[in-house]
Amino acid sequence: MRGRRRFRTAVASAAAVLLCAGALSGCDAAAPGAAAPSVRAKPRPVPLWDRSPASVAAVGDSITRAFDACDVLADCPEVSWATGTDATVNSLALRLLGPQGVTRQSWNLARTGARMAELPGQMERAAAVKPELVTVMMGANDACRDSTELMTPVEEFRASFAAAMARLRATAPKAQVYVSSVPDLKRLWSQGRVSPRARQIWKLGICASMLADAEDLSAAAERRRTLVRDRVVAYNTALKDVCAKDQRCRYDGGAVFAFRFDGGQLSPWDWFHPSRDGQARLAEIAHRQVTAAEPPA
């Protein structure tokens, strides 16, 4: 009996070897009757982007402070696209956090007149409050100078933004960052130049690199405006590139740059900054980008 049992075992083992050798796919050598190895399901990766953050800090310039949106020459943060409490604007923070959360868990750290060189300091202050989401809209003032020669060089702009991201990561490594593109300043000029009131206001020196001599359609004036627009495009490329190196950073894909602001979405006091309605449009864009399942292409 023992001899027969050993014979059957040897035959089974030999058959298993032959089957493995002739199969199209490999198989593990195992004793006859051994249980098949269990296949464990791979754990699903934890998404790095949370579409419902519980706190928001905003950094940037006069647009995020809602300058000239409520009163002439004054900030109006309650209608800010990022952290405002005004229900008609329905800011990003209001949509994400609700009426109570927006007053307790959002911070507007932007400053009217700020340029990109100031962003590292703003980011450091944002990191200190440990927000789950930081919004960034910065760069218009880098292009809006008294002359095109004074515009911030692109590499300097890029370096300042990279430094700002590094400052944030030093204290708040898991904070998400939503980066808005810089608006198309030439589009603003094309909207306002047909308004006598806008042209009169712009003579006070608002964004002279783009808006000076608004009625001048000469080749030289067009070259100047194109130079400013090209610089804004280069700034947006820098924002996109630096953001792409951070897994928790999402660039808007140029959505704000592409938005076609009309006269009703510009401040009636300067025809440059977003009005209350313009702030609402920025809030819509931001909310769509932040809550999207995938970042824009």
Side-chain angles (χ1 to χ4, degrees), residues 66-147:
F67 181 80
D68 268 1
C70 302
D71 295 298
V72 63
L73 299 179
D75 290 347
C76 188
E78 60 267 29
V79 302
S80 167
W81 67 272
T83 59
T85 56
D86 185 274
T88 60
V89 171
N90 201 11
S91 71
L92 174 63
L94 186 57
R95 294 169 193 243
L96 294 173
L97 311 178
Q100 294 184 341
V102 72
T103 59
R104 299 174 182 173
Q105 291 298 111
S106 71
W107 305 269
N108 192 323
L109 304 173
R111 187 186 71 81
T112 293
R115 295 198 289 270
M116 184 56 76
E118 186 179 309
L119 191 64
Q122 289 190 17
M123 276 291 210
E124 192 167 13
R125 290 190 291 276
V129 299
K130 298 294 194 299
E132 293 191 8
L133 176 68
V134 179
T135 68
V136 179
M137 184 180 287
M138 183 79 89
N141 291 325
D142 291 270
C144 280
R145 306 301 302 276
D146 289 339
S147 67

Side-chain angles (χ1 to χ4, degrees), residues 14 90 108 114 138 195 199 208 216 239:
N90 201 11
N108 192 323
M138 183 79 89
S195 166
R199 294 196 302 268
D216 186 354
L239 293 173

Side-chain angles (χ1 to χ4, degrees), residues 61 63 81 136-140 157 178-184 232-233 235-237 239-240 250-259 261 282 285 289:
D61 54 28
I63 296 178
W81 67 272
V136 179
M137 184 180 287
M138 183 79 89
F157 183 94
Y178 163 71
V179 180
S180 167
S181 50
V182 182
D184 186 349
V232 168
V233 170
Y235 288 164
N236 284 335
T237 298
L239 293 173
K240 178 182 178 180
R250 180 173 286 193
Y251 174 65
D252 76 355
V256 170
F257 178 83
F259 184 74
F261 286 93
L282 292 174
I285 293 171
Q289 300 293 337

Side-chain angles (χ1 to χ4, degrees), residues 268-287:
W269 291 288
D270 64 21
W271 284 77
F272 177 74
H273 290 92
S275 64
R276 188 184 300 254
D277 184 55
Q279 290 284 340
R281 302 291 80 76
L282 292 174
E284 288 176 0
I285 293 171
H287 185 255

Side-chain angles (χ1 to χ4, degrees), residues 155-189:
E155 287 310 310
E156 183 178 317
F157 183 94
R158 181 189 297 269
S160 292
F161 182 47
M165 291 296 295
R167 292 272 190 98
L168 177 70
R169 290 293 169 240
T171 306
K174 294 184 179 180
Q176 298 179 162
V177 182
Y178 163 71
V179 180
S180 167
S181 50
V182 182
D184 186 349
L185 301 177
K186 193 172 183 181
R187 169 69 184 173
L188 299 181
W189 164 78

